[in-house]
Amino acid sequence: MQSVGSIYIAGHSGLAGSAILRALQSRGDSRIIVRTHQELDLTDARAVKDFFQHERPESVFLAAAKVGGIQANNILPAEFLRENLLIQTHVLHEAWQAGVKKLLFMGSSCIYPKLAPQPIPESALLTGELEPTNDAYALAKIAGIQLCKAYRKQHGANFIAVMPTNLYGSQDNFHPEHSHVLPALMRRFHEAQRDGLQEVTVWGSGTPRREFLHSDDLASACLFLMEHYDSPEIINIGWGQDCTIRELAEMIAETVGFTGTLKWDDSRPDGTPRKVLDNRKLSNLGWEPKISLQEGLKLTYQWYLENHR
C-alpha cells in the first residue's frame, strides 16, 4: 500500500487499530490520520461527514467497533448491534462520498454459523444459525460486509472485508467483566498470583477449541491485503491452529507464574464448540503469521505488566 495520500485508521487506540498504527509507523508512513473517540464520535453522522470532507484520506482501515466477551455480548446486545451498525454505516458512506481509493473493513470470525465446518471457509457465511451469545455483534458485522459489497456493486468503491480470528496482544481490553477470554484469564491469574490465591475459577468446561492470532500478525496481514487484495469476497485472517480453552488457561497460568489450581465452572456458557479459520486463501496469496501463541502470551503479559499497575 505505497501511497502518497493520507491513511485514516478508525479505532487506532484499540487492539487491532493500534497494531495497524504501529505497523504503518514502523515502515515510515507519515501521513497517518487518527482521532480519539472524544475528538470524533463515529456514531454521529454529521461529525463523520465533516471529518471525511475536511481530511479526505486516500486509504482507510475501519477497525473501530464496540467489542467485548461473552458476558458483555449477553447483557448489552442492543448496544452492540446499534453502535456497530452506526459506525459502519457512517464511515463507509462518507468514505465513498469523499472518494477514498481503498478501505479495509475489519469483520470478525463470529460472523460464521455456530456449527460451521472446521476449519471455517469463507463460503460458510450465511449458511446456518449464529452462536446466540454474540449474535448481535455478528449480525452487525455481517451487515458491514454486505454494505461493503453494495457500495462496490453500486458505486465501484474498492472496499474489502477481512475476517480475523480471535485476537490478542498489546492494548487488549483487560476489563474484569467485559474482556475476551485470553486477556480475562491473564488478568485473573495475575491477580491471583499477586494476592497469593491457591485457586482460580474459570468459566465453562474448558473443552471448546479456539484459535488465537497476535495483533501484530493481524496488522501485517492487513497491510499485505491492502496491497495485494481487491476482491469483493471476504477473506479470513487466522493462525491455522487451535487449542482448547483448558490448554490456553494452562499456558497463561504458566506465563504469569500462577501455580495454583484451576476450577472449571461448567454452569457458565461455553460458546461455539470449535472455531478455527481456514487460512488457505490468504496463505495462497503469500502471507503467513509469525508469532506463536507461546511467544505472543509472553509479549502480551509484558505489555500488561508495563501498563496495568
Side-chain angles (χ1 to χ4, degrees):
M1 193 186 62
Q2 299 301 325
S3 170
V4 296
S6 57
I7 305 167
Y8 170 47
I9 307 172
H12 76 283
S13 61
L15 176 60
S18 64
I20 292 171
L21 176 59
R22 289 193 302 273
L24 288 171
Q25 290 173 333
S26 68
R27 74 177 196 181
D29 283 293
S30 59
R31 298 192 63 187
I32 302 171
I33 304 169
V34 296
R35 294 289 187 276
T36 65
H37 176 70
Q38 289 71 29
E39 293 169 330
L40 176 59
D41 180 358
L42 295 177
T43 67
D44 182 335
R46 171 55 62 180
V48 177
K49 180 180 181 65
D50 291 345
F51 166 79
F52 272 94
Q53 289 302 313
H54 180 264
E55 295 292 344
R56 294 193 173 272
E58 182 174 281
S59 306
V60 174
F61 290 91
L62 178 44
K66 182 176 181 61
V67 298
I70 287 179
Q71 183 177 12
N73 277 273
N74 262 333
I75 64 177
L76 302 171
E79 291 184 28
F80 275 86
L81 184 54
R82 175 183 176 276
E83 291 187 27
N84 284 303
L85 286 174
L86 288 173
I87 291 169
Q88 297 162 185
T89 300
H90 297 158
V91 173
L92 291 174
H93 182 70
E94 297 306 334
W96 165 65
Q97 288 276 52
V100 167
K101 291 185 177 180
K102 192 164 187 178
L103 179 147
L104 181 146
F105 171 73
M106 189 82 63
S108 168
S109 59
C110 72
I111 63 161
Y112 293 117
K114 177 177 182 177
L115 300 178
Q118 302 291 332
I120 307 174
E122 288 87 352
S123 59
L125 178 62
L126 298 176
T127 59
E129 294 184 8
L130 298 169
E131 161 57 42
T133 56
N134 61 9
D135 57 357
Y137 180 73
L139 284 168
K141 287 298 184 180
I142 292 170
I145 293 167
Q146 297 304 110
L147 200 54
C148 285
K149 290 183 177 181
Y151 274 92
R152 178 185 287 268
K153 181 179 180 180
Q154 185 173 340
H155 301 297
N158 190 6
F159 295 170
I160 63 173
V162 305
M163 302 303 118
T165 190
N166 300 297
L167 301 174
Y168 71 101
S170 303
Q171 309 222 173
D172 208 340
N173 174 17
F174 290 86
H175 190 281
E177 296 177 359
H178 297 160
S179 57
H180 289 106
V181 59
L182 192 154
L185 288 174
M186 186 167 285
R187 174 173 179 155
R188 201 173 306 166
F189 289 139
H190 170 79
E191 293 178 347
Q193 175 71 6
R194 179 197 64 194
D195 298 338
L197 302 181
Q198 297 303 309
E199 182 178 270
V200 170
T201 299
V202 184
W203 279 23
S205 65
T207 59
R209 302 188 66 87
R210 294 290 184 272
E211 172 190 35
F212 298 93
L213 184 74
H214 194 276
S215 57
D216 287 342
D217 271 337
L218 168 73
S220 168
C222 288
L223 268 60
F224 176 87
L225 289 168
M226 283 292 266
E227 291 183 345
H228 301 287
Y229 192 73
D230 291 301
S231 171
E233 301 306 317
I234 62 174
I235 186 166
N236 290 336
I237 304 177
W239 177 257
Q241 300 175 8
D242 61 355
C243 64
T244 67
I245 297 300
R246 184 180 297 273
E247 290 168 338
L248 174 70
E250 291 169 350
M251 281 190 280
I252 295 174
E254 181 179 356
T255 300
V256 171
F258 175 73
T259 57
T261 304
L262 306 188
K263 180 181 178 182
W264 295 88
D265 180 4
D266 57 12
S267 68
R268 299 289 190 170
D270 270 337
T272 304
R274 187 188 184 206
K275 189 166 67 174
V276 58
L277 297 183
D278 185 337
N279 204 40
R280 286 178 296 178
K281 189 173 178 180
L282 178 54
S283 179
N284 289 339
L285 290 176
W287 182 87
E288 296 290 346
K290 296 179 179 178
I291 303 172
S292 69
L293 183 55
Q294 290 82 358
E295 179 188 357
L297 289 176
K298 293 177 182 177
L299 293 171
T300 304
Y301 187 51
Q302 184 62 42
W303 183 89
Y304 177 81
L305 291 175
E306 294 170 356
N307 292 275
H308 288 262
R309 301 297 182 186

